[in-house]
Amino acid sequence: MAEQGWAMKGELVLSCNCTVFCPCVLSLGSHPPTEGYCQTWAGFRIDAGHFGEVDLSGLNLGLVMEIPGYMSRGNWTAGLFIDKQASVYAVKALTRIFTGKAGGTTALLSILVGEFLGVEQVPITYETRDKTRIFQIPKIIDGAVTPIPGKDREKDTVIGNSEYWIAPEIIVARSDKSKMRAFGRNWNFAGRSAEICKLDWRGP
């Protein structure tokens, strides 16, 4: 299965505990998060995707991560939520992708994640209302993230042409609400740093 070609396109939203915009995006992991450590959740909407012959299109995902210091130094903790609608084959495929075992864009997760908390299959919704992204997993994640407008108030503040591993273009955003309760953790990052990116990952 490790040699299977895979790809996914769509969008992702990320909310973290940084008080101002995440320095990991600009420093590429060479500067610590604003609080000295990172707690974050990310929501994924796969518009089109596959793992070999397994169709991943139309599925939503949630990822929870803790990073104890510099992003590049590893020792991450991660847990994965997969759409209730996913087939058993899709669950296996997505688990391989998000543990880095499928190679490609997420390969670094196999090196940086020291503890994997497991996979839960749950109902997940990812919606866009005006410019706000609403990401919800009942009783687990309740998030609403809105882009920060730039000087031209009709346009978002965007970081472009970045080497950031998640995406080369990042919409700078803020969490309107951001509650996460799972794996023994209880977070609330309302008013803190957030990102919105195009999802365009592939491998191996």
Side-chain angles (χ1 to χ4, degrees), residues 40-115:
T40 185
W41 60 261
F44 299 79
R45 187 193 73 221
I46 304 174
D47 297 330
H50 69 90
F51 182 95
E53 299 297 313
V54 179
D55 187 16
L56 305 176
S57 305
L59 298 177
N60 297 319
L61 306 169
L63 182 67
V64 173
M65 291 189 295
E66 285 183 321
I67 303 171
Y70 287 80
M71 185 175 73
S72 55
R73 292 183 183 172
N75 199 26
W76 299 12
T77 299
L80 182 63
F81 298 99
I82 297 178
D83 206 316
K84 192 87 169 174
Q85 301 177 62
S87 70
V88 62
Y89 302 106
V91 170
K92 288 180 180 179
L94 290 164
T95 301
R96 289 189 71 80
I97 290 168
F98 279 86
T99 53
K101 295 176 182 176
T105 307
T106 56
L108 56 84
L109 295 177
S110 68
I111 301 166
L112 296 176
V113 175
E115 181 183 3

Side-chain angles (χ1 to χ4, degrees), residues 15-192:
S15 171
C16 72
N17 66 321
C18 283
T19 51
V20 294
F21 186 66
C22 172
C24 299
V25 174
L26 297 174
S27 72
L28 304 178
S30 64
H31 190 284
T34 68
E35 305 306 277
Y37 59 92
C38 173
Q39 296 172 324
T40 185
W41 60 261
F44 299 79
R45 187 193 73 221
I46 304 174
D47 297 330
H50 69 90
F51 182 95
E53 299 297 313
V54 179
D55 187 16
L56 305 176
S57 305
L59 298 177
N60 297 319
L61 306 169
L63 182 67
V64 173
M65 291 189 295
E66 285 183 321
I67 303 171
Y70 287 80
M71 185 175 73
S72 55
R73 292 183 183 172
N75 199 26
W76 299 12
T77 299
L80 182 63
F81 298 99
I82 297 178
D83 206 316
K84 192 87 169 174
Q85 301 177 62
S87 70
V88 62
Y89 302 106
V91 170
K92 288 180 180 179
L94 290 164
T95 301
R96 289 189 71 80
I97 290 168
F98 279 86
T99 53
K101 295 176 182 176
T105 307
T106 56
L108 56 84
L109 295 177
S110 68
I111 301 166
L112 296 176
V113 175
E115 181 183 3
F116 188 63
L117 300 170
V119 180
E120 294 184 19
Q121 214 171 342
V122 289
I124 305 175
T125 56
Y126 188 126
E127 301 175 57
T128 301
R129 299 178 195 164
D130 294 323
K131 289 191 171 189
T132 300
R133 275 60 167 188
I134 311 293
F135 183 79
Q136 293 178 316
I137 303 175
K139 298 181 180 178
I140 296 172
I141 294 176
D142 184 15
V145 167
T146 302
I148 294 174
K151 186 174 182 180
D152 179 343
R153 308 303 284 178
E154 298 302 312
K155 295 181 180 178
D156 304 330
T157 300
V158 176
I159 294 169
N161 193 34
S162 169
E163 290 188 63
Y164 188 43
W165 74 274
I166 290 177
E169 186 171 285
I170 304 97
I171 298 173
V172 180
R174 182 182 292 114
S175 295
D176 305 318
K177 59 180 177 178
S178 178
K179 292 181 179 179
M180 198 294 297
R181 305 173 202 83
F183 301 117
R185 288 138 174 96
N186 185 12
W187 302 339
N188 188 346
F189 303 145
R192 298 197 173 210

